[in-house]
Amino acid sequence: MKKKWIYCLLSIAVVGSLLTGCGNGQQTEQKNDKSVVEVSSDEEDSADAEESEKADTMEIETEYGTLYYPEQWKDSVEVEQTEKDDTLHVAFQVKIDEKNYTLFEIIIGKGDGEPVGTIQDADGKMHDVYVNTEEKEDLKNLSEEEQNRFYAMKEGINQVLDHLTN
């Protein structure tokens, strides 16, 4: 009687493992087919995402090319451009409690700061781009909410840098 149960359990285990093995093969094949579909879908999605990203940005026109910054901060951030010795300084600032705080500065031309890429002007000439993220102001006087907002706006530098040519 014990042998019958052992043979019965062994038979069930063998059949179960065979079915499991066959099932994995079908799932793998389905996954491969699905990934092919996703690749073509991803290409369309990336084009849509790029258009959407440009729609979600504000354009800052400079004589050396266009910089892109998140649209959501357009009412809070002031952009000031100054030129010194064939170098353009583009300062991104926010006013909190009647005081201006510099988020970061993009320097196009001869720069002091961290080199981050290049930008192409209307004539096709490439210019080096540098960034300065040094905080000169004391942010400790700001409330925690204001500090969080400041740093959220400062993260917009990633979008500026993403649109530069490396």
Side-chain angles (χ1 to χ4, degrees):
M1 185 72 155
K2 286 184 180 180
K3 286 185 181 182
K4 279 187 178 181
W5 282 106
I6 292 175
Y7 288 129
C8 187
L9 288 174
L10 186 59
S11 298
I12 291 172
V14 169
V15 170
S17 67
L18 287 174
L19 291 175
T20 304
C22 293
N24 282 344
Q26 289 174 347
Q27 287 176 351
T28 303
E29 188 175 316
Q30 288 174 353
K31 285 182 184 175
N32 288 342
D33 290 343
K34 189 176 181 181
S35 67
V36 171
V37 172
E38 286 178 4
V39 169
S40 61
S41 172
D42 284 347
E43 290 173 2
E44 293 173 10
D45 289 345
S46 67
D48 291 342
E50 187 174 318
E51 286 180 31
S52 174
E53 184 177 324
K54 284 191 176 180
D56 294 339
T57 60
M58 61 185 224
E59 296 180 355
I60 296 102
E61 297 295 332
T62 73
E63 66 180 271
Y64 297 104
T66 305
L67 300 174
Y68 299 91
Y69 185 77
E71 179 81 18
Q72 76 185 72
W73 303 117
K74 75 177 183 176
D75 295 330
S76 302
V77 173
E78 297 175 10
V79 180
E80 182 181 306
Q81 298 183 35
T82 57
E83 186 151 358
K84 302 175 193 169
D85 303 324
D86 295 329
T87 300
L88 180 66
H89 294 260
V90 184
F92 289 74
Q93 301 174 341
V94 61
K95 185 177 259 185
I96 302 173
D97 294 333
E98 302 302 317
K99 183 176 178 188
N100 282 338
Y101 294 89
T102 301
L103 298 167
F104 55 88
E105 183 179 32
I106 301 292
I107 303 146
I108 304 171
K110 301 171 188 168
D112 50 341
E114 189 68 31
V116 291
T118 58
I119 192 168
Q120 186 174 2
D121 65 16
D123 298 330
K125 185 177 177 188
M126 300 301 283
H127 302 274
D128 292 331
V129 179
Y130 301 85
V131 67
N132 184 354
T133 58
E134 188 176 296
E135 291 175 15
K136 299 173 186 166
E137 298 86 11
D138 185 20
L139 300 176
K140 293 178 184 177
N141 296 331
L142 301 177
S143 70
E144 184 176 342
E145 182 180 323
E146 290 170 329
Q147 287 181 24
N148 290 339
R149 189 165 181 253
F150 175 87
Y151 287 117
M153 286 186 268
K154 190 170 186 164
E155 285 181 13
I157 191 171
N158 294 324
Q159 198 158 16
V160 174
L161 300 179
D162 284 345
H163 288 88
L164 295 175
T165 306
N166 291 324

